[in-house]
Amino acid sequence: MQLTPVIAIHLTAALAALAIGPVAIWARKGPTQRTRLHRAAGYAWVTLMLITALSAIFIRDYRIPNWAGYTWIHLFVPVTLVCLSVAFWALYRHRIALHRRFMQGLYLGACVVTGAFTLLPNRYLGQLVWGQWLGLL
């Protein structure tokens, strides 16, 4: 597998979302509420997550168990889209606690956990990091 434009877009958006997510979460924590920063970082994070999820549809892997090129990790695409929809619905209905749970859960599940799975040795990013960059494989 090689770094195609779709994979480059997906990887860039995912890494940026991983970096911006904590800013959005932190901006609403503690005694000082940073509403503007929270909204700006939040909208940027949502945009990056949409780019990440939608670009994943065009990335296929036939080397590991798959269904028409889609692997188990592609299940996060509809999960991400549903979670974002529910989070914005909750915000619209002024159910802030539900919005917070969905956004924090989505960050943890879609960015942290899924990101960790992409570092497995049989995945493209895992081969890049462990094999080419660190020379461990």
Side-chain angles (χ1 to χ4, degrees):
M1 189 173 252
Q2 62 183 357
L3 185 64
T4 64
V6 174
I7 293 175
I9 290 167
H10 180 78
L11 183 59
T12 302
L15 289 174
L18 184 66
I20 290 175
V23 175
I25 293 169
W26 168 80
R28 292 299 276 181
K29 295 274 186 183
T32 306
Q33 299 288 311
R34 297 164 188 86
T35 306
R36 285 184 155 173
L37 178 60
H38 172 74
R39 284 186 181 170
Y43 280 120
W45 184 79
V46 167
T47 303
L48 290 166
M49 289 303 293
L50 286 171
I51 293 168
T52 302
L54 296 176
S55 64
I57 295 169
F58 301 100
I59 300 172
R60 305 236 178 120
D61 191 351
Y62 295 96
R63 297 171 300 130
I64 60 177
N66 67 82
W67 184 59
Y70 295 111
T71 63
W72 61 270
I73 208 164
H74 284 92
L75 293 174
F76 281 101
V77 171
V79 168
T80 298
L81 297 176
V82 167
C83 286
L84 287 173
S85 298
V86 171
F88 273 96
W89 173 84
L91 198 57
Y92 175 75
R93 303 294 286 169
H94 303 286
R95 298 182 62 188
I96 304 303
L98 182 64
H99 169 76
R100 181 182 303 117
R101 279 196 311 269
F102 266 86
M103 292 306 244
Q104 289 176 349
L106 188 58
Y107 178 78
L108 182 64
C111 289
V112 177
V113 173
T114 305
F117 279 119
T118 63
L119 291 174
L120 291 172
N122 63 336
R123 309 278 308 165
Y124 174 73
L125 190 57
Q127 291 173 354
L128 188 67
V129 170
W130 305 119
Q132 292 181 9
W133 293 348
L134 299 177
L136 299 175
L137 295 179

